[in-house]
Amino acid sequence: MPLVRIDLETGRTDDELRLLADVVQECMLDVFAAPPRDRYQVITEHPPGRIILEDTGLGLERTAQQVVVHVFQQGRTTEQKQALYAALAERLEERCGLRPEDLLVSVAEVGRDDWSFGMGRAQFLTGEL
């Protein structure tokens, strides 16, 4: 059950945002083997200048089209995480025109007790999931 946060500057159309979210979801299904209908995404648009991504000495030149994808998940291997980074960069460039230099991805590991899908219960712990 990945929970995905997508942060970007304002200015994209609703169709562009939906396509970006759809491509990210395809990667969750294909690379992270998320179950169908296991889609949890939050898209947050920020005013210009509110996302600051420096290059950490890598020589990256970013544009105002920069996107941050943060994935909260459990149980994925290092290989799956690396495959996700590559798939996101490739597919978002191909389908959305997002330059790989403008993509920052972070994957965080969370435990089974770190989720509640509603009703005030931890469904992974109660056996509901």
Side-chain angles (χ1 to χ4, degrees):
M1 192 310 292
L3 168 63
V4 179
R5 292 198 47 110
I6 301 170
D7 290 273
L8 40 76
E9 282 192 12
T10 57
R12 289 178 171 87
T13 67
D14 288 344
D15 288 342
E16 290 170 325
L17 292 173
R18 184 59 190 225
L19 178 60
L20 191 140
D22 288 347
V23 171
V24 170
Q25 180 63 13
E26 288 174 12
C27 291
M28 294 300 110
L29 295 170
D30 295 346
V31 179
F32 270 12
R37 294 193 40 86
D38 194 30
R39 185 172 186 166
Y40 297 91
Q41 296 176 318
V42 178
I43 300 170
T44 305
E45 295 180 279
H46 302 273
R50 298 292 170 89
I51 298 176
I52 302 168
L53 303 179
E54 295 183 351
D55 73 359
T56 317
L58 297 173
L60 301 175
E61 294 293 329
R62 301 195 198 269
T63 72
Q65 295 301 305
Q66 62 195 356
V67 173
V68 177
V69 176
H70 188 76
V71 182
F72 300 89
Q73 56 77 48
Q74 61 185 20
R76 274 36 178 232
T77 66
T78 297
E79 292 77 18
Q80 285 176 300
K81 293 173 189 176
Q82 290 176 318
L84 177 68
Y85 307 145
L88 285 169
E90 180 182 311
R91 294 181 193 188
L92 288 171
E93 181 178 32
E94 179 183 298
R95 306 252 319 272
C96 301
L98 181 69
R99 298 170 54 242
E101 298 90 342
D102 282 332
L103 177 63
L104 180 119
V105 181
S106 173
V107 176
E109 183 84 19
V110 294
R112 296 177 65 78
D113 58 341
D114 295 319
W115 300 100
S116 173
F117 297 92
M119 307 303 293
R121 296 190 298 269
Q123 287 86 353
F124 284 132
L125 299 180
T126 63
E128 296 168 78
L129 287 176

